[in-house]
Amino acid sequence: MWERLRGGAVEGFKVRRQYEIGPFVVDFACVRLRLVIEIDGGVHERDDVGLRDPLRQTETRALGWTVVRFTNDTALGEPWRIDDAIRDRARVLGLL
């Protein structure tokens, strides 16, 4: 996924990986769009992790970020959905 997103590959919007936001480290973040992209693997099916995810997401949103989540299967099988999420957020902000 990183190879697909790095260097502004989607409409020129740069994405950073393993980015710190408050007390959290998110999978990917587009700072300009204040967009977090989380890729959820099998570990997110565990109860302890699954219960923390909504809290992390709520707190990240409270810091002014939009959060989108994708499963590993979607990220690998339909990666254009992540591209579309970046474009959609840019449109909402009037940047596309």
Side-chain angles (χ1 to χ4, degrees):
M1 187 52 46
W2 177 235
E3 289 301 316
R4 184 177 183 90
L5 296 174
R6 67 188 302 193
V10 180
E11 304 293 340
F13 293 104
K14 292 187 179 184
V15 174
R16 299 175 188 211
R17 64 181 173 163
Q18 298 296 296
Y19 187 73
E20 285 186 45
I21 298 174
F24 308 112
V25 176
V26 300
D27 293 333
F28 301 100
C30 179
V31 175
R32 183 171 178 208
L33 300 177
R34 296 194 59 87
L35 177 68
V36 168
I37 301 164
E38 292 279 31
I39 309 296
D40 294 342
V43 71
H44 291 268
E45 294 174 15
R46 290 184 13 206
D47 287 342
D48 60 327
V49 176
L51 292 173
R52 281 195 310 256
D53 282 344
L55 175 62
R56 284 175 44 104
Q57 188 161 326
T58 298
E59 290 187 29
T60 302
R61 284 182 173 159
L63 294 170
W65 291 79
T66 296
V67 179
V68 294
R69 303 188 87 84
F70 297 93
T71 63
N72 268 352
D73 290 341
T74 299
L76 295 172
E78 303 173 52
W80 62 88
R81 289 187 181 218
I82 296 170
D83 301 353
D84 288 347
I86 293 169
R87 288 184 190 102
D88 289 347
R89 181 66 182 149
R91 282 186 196 100
V92 166
L93 297 174
L95 297 173
L96 270 186

